[in-house]
Amino acid sequence: MERVLVGSADPEIVALETRLRAAQLDADVAALDLLIAEELLFTGPDGQLGTKAQDLAAHGSGVVRFRAHEPEELRIRRVGADVAVVALRARLAVEVAGALVRGTYRYTRVWAREAGGPWRVVGGHVSEVPAT
């Protein structure tokens, strides 16, 4: 992730994004469980809100399977000691219910430490980046 970082370095958040990427590629539900907040608010590319339980179930059942995840650009903005906003552009190949979807996508994620707990994704959004 460091190679695609734009702007100020933030090793702590870069490491979290690296762990999240690996968990997605490995369909590691236990790792995802640790990295995602219980009350996640996440908007998918279809505009629908998704929950942590739905995300874990999709990875665990194989309904969603990341086949490729190539980061192109990572930007991080700290908002105090316990909140960071991340914008990640990546080329993805994701199998969804047996159909392979390829494209470039932009994730916006909010990482936070709630009540002194560990860093977790508390909110976010993903959308496709139109081809130029």
mmCIF file of all heavy atoms in Angstrom, residues 7-54:
data_model
loop_
_atom_site.group_PDB
_atom_site.id
_atom_site.type_symbol
_atom_site.label_atom_id
_atom_site.label_comp_id
_atom_site.label_asym_id
_atom_site.label_seq_id
_atom_site.Cartn_x
_atom_site.Cartn_y
_atom_site.Cartn_z
ATOM 1 N N GLY A 7 0.281 11.793 -0.505
ATOM 2 C CA GLY A 7 0.163 12.664 0.659
ATOM 3 C C GLY A 7 0.952 12.134 1.839
ATOM 4 O O GLY A 7 1.863 11.321 1.691
ATOM 5 N N SER A 8 0.566 12.595 3.015
ATOM 6 C CA SER A 8 1.291 12.264 4.236
ATOM 7 C C SER A 8 1.211 10.782 4.569
ATOM 8 O O SER A 8 0.158 10.152 4.417
ATOM 9 C CB SER A 8 0.727 13.059 5.417
ATOM 10 O OG SER A 8 0.841 14.432 5.183
ATOM 11 N N ALA A 9 2.325 10.256 5.039
ATOM 12 C CA ALA A 9 2.378 8.861 5.466
ATOM 13 C C ALA A 9 1.636 8.707 6.795
ATOM 14 O O ALA A 9 1.688 9.594 7.648
ATOM 15 C CB ALA A 9 3.818 8.409 5.619
ATOM 16 N N ASP A 10 0.946 7.610 6.945
ATOM 17 C CA ASP A 10 0.273 7.262 8.189
ATOM 18 C C ASP A 10 0.400 5.752 8.337
ATOM 19 O O ASP A 10 -0.499 5.001 7.943
ATOM 20 C CB ASP A 10 -1.197 7.692 8.142
ATOM 21 C CG ASP A 10 -1.869 7.620 9.509
ATOM 22 O OD1 ASP A 10 -1.550 6.688 10.280
ATOM 23 O OD2 ASP A 10 -2.705 8.484 9.798
ATOM 24 N N PRO A 11 1.534 5.282 8.861
ATOM 25 C CA PRO A 11 1.811 3.847 8.901
ATOM 26 C C PRO A 11 0.725 3.011 9.577
ATOM 27 O O PRO A 11 0.452 1.886 9.156
ATOM 28 C CB PRO A 11 3.133 3.755 9.671
ATOM 29 C CG PRO A 11 3.762 5.093 9.511
ATOM 30 C CD PRO A 11 2.633 6.079 9.412
ATOM 31 N N GLU A 12 0.101 3.548 10.612
ATOM 32 C CA GLU A 12 -0.937 2.807 11.328
ATOM 33 C C GLU A 12 -2.137 2.505 10.423
ATOM 34 O O GLU A 12 -2.613 1.373 10.363
ATOM 35 C CB GLU A 12 -1.375 3.622 12.550
ATOM 36 C CG GLU A 12 -2.290 2.890 13.489
ATOM 37 C CD GLU A 12 -2.535 3.692 14.765
ATOM 38 O OE1 GLU A 12 -2.557 4.948 14.716
ATOM 39 O OE2 GLU A 12 -2.708 3.058 15.803
ATOM 40 N N ILE A 13 -2.599 3.499 9.688
ATOM 41 C CA ILE A 13 -3.762 3.311 8.821
ATOM 42 C C ILE A 13 -3.378 2.515 7.578
ATOM 43 O O ILE A 13 -4.154 1.669 7.108
ATOM 44 C CB ILE A 13 -4.407 4.670 8.459
ATOM 45 C CG1 ILE A 13 -4.814 5.426 9.732
ATOM 46 C CG2 ILE A 13 -5.602 4.474 7.539
ATOM 47 C CD1 ILE A 13 -5.777 4.691 10.659
ATOM 48 N N VAL A 14 -2.190 2.727 7.053
ATOM 49 C CA VAL A 14 -1.717 1.929 5.915
ATOM 50 C C VAL A 14 -1.700 0.448 6.299
ATOM 51 O O VAL A 14 -2.139 -0.412 5.527
ATOM 52 C CB VAL A 14 -0.328 2.395 5.430
ATOM 53 C CG1 VAL A 14 0.271 1.412 4.438
ATOM 54 C CG2 VAL A 14 -0.426 3.779 4.802
ATOM 55 N N ALA A 15 -1.233 0.143 7.500
ATOM 56 C CA ALA A 15 -1.207 -1.252 7.960
ATOM 57 C C ALA A 15 -2.615 -1.830 8.064
ATOM 58 O O ALA A 15 -2.843 -2.994 7.700
ATOM 59 C CB ALA A 15 -0.492 -1.342 9.308
ATOM 60 N N LEU A 16 -3.567 -1.037 8.538
ATOM 61 C CA LEU A 16 -4.958 -1.507 8.622
ATOM 62 C C LEU A 16 -5.530 -1.784 7.234
ATOM 63 O O LEU A 16 -6.194 -2.808 7.016
ATOM 64 C CB LEU A 16 -5.822 -0.483 9.356
ATOM 65 C CG LEU A 16 -5.563 -0.361 10.852
ATOM 66 C CD1 LEU A 16 -6.166 0.929 11.385
ATOM 67 C CD2 LEU A 16 -6.102 -1.573 11.592
ATOM 68 N N GLU A 17 -5.280 -0.884 6.293
ATOM 69 C CA GLU A 17 -5.762 -1.087 4.929
ATOM 70 C C GLU A 17 -5.124 -2.331 4.304
ATOM 71 O O GLU A 17 -5.780 -3.076 3.582
ATOM 72 C CB GLU A 17 -5.480 0.149 4.069
ATOM 73 C CG GLU A 17 -6.429 1.295 4.317
ATOM 74 C CD GLU A 17 -7.836 1.034 3.769
ATOM 75 O OE1 GLU A 17 -7.971 0.477 2.657
ATOM 76 O OE2 GLU A 17 -8.803 1.405 4.453
ATOM 77 N N THR A 18 -3.860 -2.567 4.616
ATOM 78 C CA THR A 18 -3.163 -3.750 4.116
ATOM 79 C C THR A 18 -3.788 -5.015 4.691
ATOM 80 O O THR A 18 -4.012 -5.995 3.962
ATOM 81 C CB THR A 18 -1.662 -3.668 4.466
ATOM 82 O OG1 THR A 18 -1.117 -2.490 3.857
ATOM 83 C CG2 THR A 18 -0.911 -4.889 3.974
ATOM 84 N N ARG A 19 -4.087 -5.006 5.987
ATOM 85 C CA ARG A 19 -4.743 -6.163 6.624
ATOM 86 C C ARG A 19 -6.129 -6.407 6.037
ATOM 87 O O ARG A 19 -6.517 -7.554 5.802
ATOM 88 C CB ARG A 19 -4.846 -5.945 8.131
ATOM 89 C CG ARG A 19 -3.536 -6.108 8.866
ATOM 90 C CD ARG A 19 -3.635 -5.796 10.344
ATOM 91 N NE ARG A 19 -4.733 -6.506 11.007
ATOM 92 C CZ ARG A 19 -5.297 -6.093 12.136
ATOM 93 N NH1 ARG A 19 -4.884 -4.989 12.734
ATOM 94 N NH2 ARG A 19 -6.273 -6.785 12.680
ATOM 95 N N LEU A 20 -6.875 -5.333 5.799
ATOM 96 C CA LEU A 20 -8.219 -5.469 5.237
ATOM 97 C C LEU A 20 -8.163 -6.057 3.826
ATOM 98 O O LEU A 20 -8.929 -6.967 3.494
ATOM 99 C CB LEU A 20 -8.931 -4.117 5.234
ATOM 100 C CG LEU A 20 -10.368 -4.120 4.744
ATOM 101 C CD1 LEU A 20 -11.251 -5.005 5.621
ATOM 102 C CD2 LEU A 20 -10.915 -2.708 4.718
ATOM 103 N N ARG A 21 -7.250 -5.567 3.011
ATOM 104 C CA ARG A 21 -7.075 -6.097 1.648
ATOM 105 C C ARG A 21 -6.760 -7.591 1.691
ATOM 106 O O ARG A 21 -7.349 -8.379 0.963
ATOM 107 C CB ARG A 21 -5.968 -5.332 0.934
ATOM 108 C CG ARG A 21 -5.663 -5.855 -0.456
ATOM 109 C CD ARG A 21 -4.511 -5.070 -1.108
ATOM 110 N NE ARG A 21 -4.180 -5.646 -2.389
ATOM 111 C CZ ARG A 21 -3.235 -6.573 -2.563
ATOM 112 N NH1 ARG A 21 -2.527 -7.014 -1.538
ATOM 113 N NH2 ARG A 21 -3.006 -7.065 -3.768
ATOM 114 N N ALA A 22 -5.827 -7.994 2.544
ATOM 115 C CA ALA A 22 -5.458 -9.412 2.658
ATOM 116 C C ALA A 22 -6.645 -10.250 3.111
ATOM 117 O O ALA A 22 -6.884 -11.348 2.584
ATOM 118 C CB ALA A 22 -4.289 -9.577 3.626
ATOM 119 N N ALA A 23 -7.413 -9.745 4.057
ATOM 120 C CA ALA A 23 -8.585 -10.477 4.544
ATOM 121 C C ALA A 23 -9.632 -10.637 3.444
ATOM 122 O O ALA A 23 -10.262 -11.691 3.323
ATOM 123 C CB ALA A 23 -9.192 -9.761 5.754
ATOM 124 N N GLN A 24 -9.815 -9.609 2.632
ATOM 125 C CA GLN A 24 -10.757 -9.701 1.515
ATOM 126 C C GLN A 24 -10.289 -10.754 0.505
ATOM 127 O O GLN A 24 -11.076 -11.593 0.066
ATOM 128 C CB GLN A 24 -10.917 -8.349 0.826
ATOM 129 C CG GLN A 24 -11.665 -7.338 1.649
ATOM 130 C CD GLN A 24 -11.648 -5.947 1.031
ATOM 131 O OE1 GLN A 24 -10.670 -5.529 0.417
ATOM 132 N NE2 GLN A 24 -12.737 -5.213 1.215
ATOM 133 N N LEU A 25 -9.016 -10.708 0.143
ATOM 134 C CA LEU A 25 -8.484 -11.659 -0.840
ATOM 135 C C LEU A 25 -8.528 -13.097 -0.326
ATOM 136 O O LEU A 25 -8.744 -14.031 -1.108
ATOM 137 C CB LEU A 25 -7.051 -11.280 -1.218
ATOM 138 C CG LEU A 25 -6.915 -10.133 -2.201
ATOM 139 C CD1 LEU A 25 -5.481 -9.611 -2.229
ATOM 140 C CD2 LEU A 25 -7.373 -10.547 -3.591
ATOM 141 N N ASP A 26 -8.320 -13.277 0.972
ATOM 142 C CA ASP A 26 -8.300 -14.619 1.558
ATOM 143 C C ASP A 26 -9.665 -15.079 2.042
ATOM 144 O O ASP A 26 -9.789 -16.202 2.549
ATOM 145 C CB ASP A 26 -7.324 -14.662 2.737
ATOM 146 C CG ASP A 26 -5.887 -14.445 2.329
ATOM 147 O OD1 ASP A 26 -5.560 -14.643 1.133
ATOM 148 O OD2 ASP A 26 -5.081 -14.063 3.194
ATOM 149 N N ALA A 27 -10.683 -14.232 1.909
ATOM 150 C CA ALA A 27 -12.012 -14.523 2.469
ATOM 151 C C ALA A 27 -11.877 -14.927 3.932
ATOM 152 O O ALA A 27 -12.516 -15.861 4.413
ATOM 153 C CB ALA A 27 -12.742 -15.585 1.650
ATOM 154 N N ASP A 28 -11.029 -14.191 4.660
ATOM 155 C CA ASP A 28 -10.733 -14.479 6.060
ATOM 156 C C ASP A 28 -11.785 -13.799 6.939
ATOM 157 O O ASP A 28 -11.628 -12.643 7.344
ATOM 158 C CB ASP A 28 -9.321 -13.984 6.382
ATOM 159 C CG ASP A 28 -8.870 -14.340 7.780
ATOM 160 O OD1 ASP A 28 -9.713 -14.646 8.643
ATOM 161 O OD2 ASP A 28 -7.645 -14.290 8.008
ATOM 162 N N VAL A 29 -12.841 -14.527 7.232
ATOM 163 C CA VAL A 29 -13.971 -13.974 7.975
ATOM 164 C C VAL A 29 -13.559 -13.562 9.386
ATOM 165 O O VAL A 29 -14.017 -12.540 9.894
ATOM 166 C CB VAL A 29 -15.152 -14.971 7.990
ATOM 167 C CG1 VAL A 29 -16.280 -14.477 8.865
ATOM 168 C CG2 VAL A 29 -15.649 -15.207 6.569
ATOM 169 N N ALA A 30 -12.671 -14.324 10.014
ATOM 170 C CA ALA A 30 -12.226 -13.978 11.368
ATOM 171 C C ALA A 30 -11.488 -12.636 11.368
ATOM 172 O O ALA A 30 -11.711 -11.800 12.253
ATOM 173 C CB ALA A 30 -11.342 -15.083 11.932
ATOM 174 N N ALA A 31 -10.624 -12.419 10.394
ATOM 175 C CA ALA A 31 -9.902 -11.146 10.301
ATOM 176 C C ALA A 31 -10.860 -10.007 9.979
ATOM 177 O O ALA A 31 -10.764 -8.919 10.568
ATOM 178 C CB ALA A 31 -8.802 -11.232 9.254
ATOM 179 N N LEU A 32 -11.785 -10.241 9.053
ATOM 180 C CA LEU A 32 -12.771 -9.212 8.719
ATOM 181 C C LEU A 32 -13.611 -8.852 9.937
ATOM 182 O O LEU A 32 -13.924 -7.678 10.168
ATOM 183 C CB LEU A 32 -13.667 -9.683 7.566
ATOM 184 C CG LEU A 32 -12.984 -9.777 6.205
ATOM 185 C CD1 LEU A 32 -13.875 -10.527 5.221
ATOM 186 C CD2 LEU A 32 -12.619 -8.406 5.673
ATOM 187 N N ASP A 33 -13.969 -9.842 10.729
ATOM 188 C CA ASP A 33 -14.761 -9.618 11.938
ATOM 189 C C ASP A 33 -14.044 -8.654 12.886
ATOM 190 O O ASP A 33 -14.670 -7.788 13.496
ATOM 191 C CB ASP A 33 -15.035 -10.950 12.632
ATOM 192 C CG ASP A 33 -15.958 -10.812 13.824
ATOM 193 O OD1 ASP A 33 -16.925 -10.017 13.759
ATOM 194 O OD2 ASP A 33 -15.723 -11.493 14.836
ATOM 195 N N LEU A 34 -12.729 -8.781 12.988
ATOM 196 C CA LEU A 34 -11.950 -7.910 13.867
ATOM 197 C C LEU A 34 -11.794 -6.500 13.303
ATOM 198 O O LEU A 34 -11.629 -5.544 14.067
ATOM 199 C CB LEU A 34 -10.564 -8.507 14.106
ATOM 200 C CG LEU A 34 -10.517 -9.812 14.883
ATOM 201 C CD1 LEU A 34 -9.094 -10.352 14.912
ATOM 202 C CD2 LEU A 34 -11.059 -9.624 16.295
ATOM 203 N N LEU A 35 -11.840 -6.366 11.983
ATOM 204 C CA LEU A 35 -11.569 -5.082 11.331
ATOM 205 C C LEU A 35 -12.819 -4.247 11.062
ATOM 206 O O LEU A 35 -12.709 -3.071 10.720
ATOM 207 C CB LEU A 35 -10.824 -5.318 10.015
ATOM 208 C CG LEU A 35 -9.407 -5.863 10.161
ATOM 209 C CD1 LEU A 35 -8.885 -6.351 8.820
ATOM 210 C CD2 LEU A 35 -8.491 -4.805 10.747
ATOM 211 N N ILE A 36 -13.993 -4.842 11.188
ATOM 212 C CA ILE A 36 -15.240 -4.151 10.854
ATOM 213 C C ILE A 36 -16.063 -3.946 12.124
ATOM 214 O O ILE A 36 -16.271 -4.881 12.898
ATOM 215 C CB ILE A 36 -16.053 -4.961 9.819
ATOM 216 C CG1 ILE A 36 -15.248 -5.140 8.528
ATOM 217 C CG2 ILE A 36 -17.387 -4.288 9.535
ATOM 218 C CD1 ILE A 36 -15.892 -6.090 7.537
ATOM 219 N N ALA A 37 -16.565 -2.726 12.313
ATOM 220 C CA ALA A 37 -17.383 -2.401 13.481
ATOM 221 C C ALA A 37 -18.740 -3.082 13.411
ATOM 222 O O ALA A 37 -19.282 -3.317 12.324
ATOM 223 C CB ALA A 37 -17.574 -0.887 13.578
ATOM 224 N N GLU A 38 -19.285 -3.377 14.564
ATOM 225 C CA GLU A 38 -20.599 -4.040 14.646
ATOM 226 C C GLU A 38 -21.686 -3.209 13.967
ATOM 227 O O GLU A 38 -22.543 -3.755 13.293
ATOM 228 C CB GLU A 38 -20.982 -4.305 16.110
ATOM 229 C CG GLU A 38 -20.080 -5.297 16.812
ATOM 230 C CD GLU A 38 -20.004 -6.656 16.135
ATOM 231 O OE1 GLU A 38 -21.040 -7.157 15.640
ATOM 232 O OE2 GLU A 38 -18.899 -7.229 16.101
ATOM 233 N N GLU A 39 -21.657 -1.919 14.173
ATOM 234 C CA GLU A 39 -22.703 -1.032 13.635
ATOM 235 C C GLU A 39 -22.249 -0.361 12.344
ATOM 236 O O GLU A 39 -22.497 0.823 12.127
ATOM 237 C CB GLU A 39 -23.088 0.012 14.686
ATOM 238 C CG GLU A 39 -23.662 -0.582 15.953
ATOM 239 C CD GLU A 39 -24.947 -1.372 15.717
ATOM 240 O OE1 GLU A 39 -25.774 -0.953 14.882
ATOM 241 O OE2 GLU A 39 -25.116 -2.416 16.370
ATOM 242 N N LEU A 40 -21.614 -1.115 11.474
ATOM 243 C CA LEU A 40 -21.116 -0.605 10.201
ATOM 244 C C LEU A 40 -22.231 0.034 9.378
ATOM 245 O O LEU A 40 -23.336 -0.505 9.286
ATOM 246 C CB LEU A 40 -20.506 -1.763 9.391
ATOM 247 C CG LEU A 40 -20.071 -1.447 7.967
ATOM 248 C CD1 LEU A 40 -18.822 -0.574 7.981
ATOM 249 C CD2 LEU A 40 -19.811 -2.738 7.206
ATOM 250 N N LEU A 41 -21.916 1.168 8.760
ATOM 251 C CA LEU A 41 -22.783 1.789 7.759
ATOM 252 C C LEU A 41 -21.972 1.810 6.467
ATOM 253 O O LEU A 41 -21.032 2.601 6.329
ATOM 254 C CB LEU A 41 -23.168 3.212 8.141
ATOM 255 C CG LEU A 41 -24.198 3.377 9.239
ATOM 256 C CD1 LEU A 41 -24.408 4.852 9.551
ATOM 257 C CD2 LEU A 41 -25.518 2.739 8.843
ATOM 258 N N PHE A 42 -22.305 0.931 5.528
ATOM 259 C CA PHE A 42 -21.529 0.833 4.294
ATOM 260 C C PHE A 42 -22.467 0.790 3.103
ATOM 261 O O PHE A 42 -23.380 -0.034 3.046
ATOM 262 C CB PHE A 42 -20.646 -0.422 4.302
ATOM 263 C CG PHE A 42 -19.582 -0.383 3.236
ATOM 264 C CD1 PHE A 42 -18.359 0.199 3.500
ATOM 265 C CD2 PHE A 42 -19.826 -0.881 1.966
ATOM 266 C CE1 PHE A 42 -17.386 0.270 2.521
ATOM 267 C CE2 PHE A 42 -18.867 -0.823 0.987
ATOM 268 C CZ PHE A 42 -17.634 -0.245 1.261
ATOM 269 N N THR A 43 -22.230 1.678 2.145
ATOM 270 C CA THR A 43 -23.034 1.741 0.932
ATOM 271 C C THR A 43 -22.282 1.044 -0.193
ATOM 272 O O THR A 43 -21.139 1.392 -0.481
ATOM 273 C CB THR A 43 -23.321 3.202 0.536
ATOM 274 O OG1 THR A 43 -23.943 3.865 1.639
ATOM 275 C CG2 THR A 43 -24.229 3.271 -0.679
ATOM 276 N N GLY A 44 -22.919 0.059 -0.797
ATOM 277 C CA GLY A 44 -22.312 -0.687 -1.891
ATOM 278 C C GLY A 44 -22.475 0.028 -3.216
ATOM 279 O O GLY A 44 -23.114 1.082 -3.303
ATOM 280 N N PRO A 45 -21.904 -0.548 -4.276
ATOM 281 C CA PRO A 45 -21.961 0.097 -5.594
ATOM 282 C C PRO A 45 -23.375 0.190 -6.158
ATOM 283 O O PRO A 45 -23.622 0.989 -7.052
ATOM 284 C CB PRO A 45 -21.070 -0.785 -6.464
ATOM 285 C CG PRO A 45 -20.980 -2.072 -5.752
ATOM 286 C CD PRO A 45 -21.152 -1.788 -4.290
ATOM 287 N N ASP A 46 -24.301 -0.582 -5.594
ATOM 288 C CA ASP A 46 -25.698 -0.528 -6.046
ATOM 289 C C ASP A 46 -26.520 0.485 -5.253
ATOM 290 O O ASP A 46 -27.729 0.617 -5.461
ATOM 291 C CB ASP A 46 -26.339 -1.913 -5.952
ATOM 292 C CG ASP A 46 -26.362 -2.465 -4.533
ATOM 293 O OD1 ASP A 46 -25.836 -1.804 -3.597
ATOM 294 O OD2 ASP A 46 -26.894 -3.574 -4.353
ATOM 295 N N GLY A 47 -25.867 1.183 -4.302
ATOM 296 C CA GLY A 47 -26.573 2.177 -3.500
ATOM 297 C C GLY A 47 -27.241 1.618 -2.268
ATOM 298 O O GLY A 47 -27.801 2.375 -1.472
ATOM 299 N N GLN A 48 -27.167 0.326 -2.068
ATOM 300 C CA GLN A 48 -27.803 -0.310 -0.913
ATOM 301 C C GLN A 48 -26.873 -0.303 0.292
ATOM 302 O O GLN A 48 -25.658 -0.465 0.153
ATOM 303 C CB GLN A 48 -28.182 -1.761 -1.237
ATOM 304 C CG GLN A 48 -29.181 -1.901 -2.376
ATOM 305 C CD GLN A 48 -30.513 -1.264 -2.029
ATOM 306 O OE1 GLN A 48 -31.087 -1.518 -0.981
ATOM 307 N NE2 GLN A 48 -31.007 -0.421 -2.930
ATOM 308 N N LEU A 49 -27.454 -0.119 1.472
ATOM 309 C CA LEU A 49 -26.678 -0.208 2.698
ATOM 310 C C LEU A 49 -26.427 -1.674 3.028
ATOM 311 O O LEU A 49 -27.339 -2.508 2.925
ATOM 312 C CB LEU A 49 -27.416 0.439 3.867
ATOM 313 C CG LEU A 49 -27.291 1.943 4.001
ATOM 314 C CD1 LEU A 49 -28.140 2.434 5.159
ATOM 315 C CD2 LEU A 49 -25.851 2.367 4.190
ATOM 316 N N GLY A 50 -25.212 -1.969 3.435
ATOM 317 C CA GLY A 50 -24.859 -3.320 3.845
ATOM 318 C C GLY A 50 -24.400 -3.321 5.284
ATOM 319 O O GLY A 50 -23.840 -2.342 5.776
ATOM 320 N N THR A 51 -24.627 -4.430 5.963
ATOM 321 C CA THR A 51 -24.235 -4.561 7.360
ATOM 322 C C THR A 51 -22.992 -5.433 7.482
ATOM 323 O O THR A 51 -22.609 -6.142 6.542
ATOM 324 C CB THR A 51 -25.359 -5.217 8.182
ATOM 325 O OG1 THR A 51 -25.519 -6.571 7.736
ATOM 326 C CG2 THR A 51 -26.675 -4.458 8.046
ATOM 327 N N LYS A 52 -22.412 -5.404 8.644
ATOM 328 C CA LYS A 52 -21.273 -6.270 8.925
ATOM 329 C C LYS A 52 -21.681 -7.725 8.770
ATOM 330 O O LYS A 52 -20.970 -8.507 8.138
ATOM 331 C CB LYS A 52 -20.747 -6.015 10.338
ATOM 332 C CG LYS A 52 -19.649 -6.972 10.746
ATOM 333 C CD LYS A 52 -19.171 -6.700 12.160
ATOM 334 C CE LYS A 52 -18.077 -7.671 12.560
ATOM 335 N NZ LYS A 52 -17.470 -7.308 13.854
ATOM 336 N N ALA A 53 -22.822 -8.104 9.317
ATOM 337 C CA ALA A 53 -23.282 -9.495 9.240
ATOM 338 C C ALA A 53 -23.435 -9.944 7.790
ATOM 339 O O ALA A 53 -23.041 -11.063 7.433
ATOM 340 C CB ALA A 53 -24.601 -9.658 9.995
ATOM 341 N N GLN A 54 -23.982 -9.083 6.941
ATOM 342 C CA GLN A 54 -24.130 -9.419 5.526
ATOM 343 C C GLN A 54 -22.775 -9.591 4.851
ATOM 344 O O GLN A 54 -22.587 -10.519 4.062
ATOM 345 C CB GLN A 54 -24.936 -8.342 4.803
ATOM 346 C CG GLN A 54 -26.389 -8.302 5.179
ATOM 347 C CD GLN A 54 -27.086 -7.047 4.668
ATOM 348 O OE1 GLN A 54 -26.493 -5.965 4.599
ATOM 349 N NE2 GLN A 54 -28.356 -7.194 4.313
#
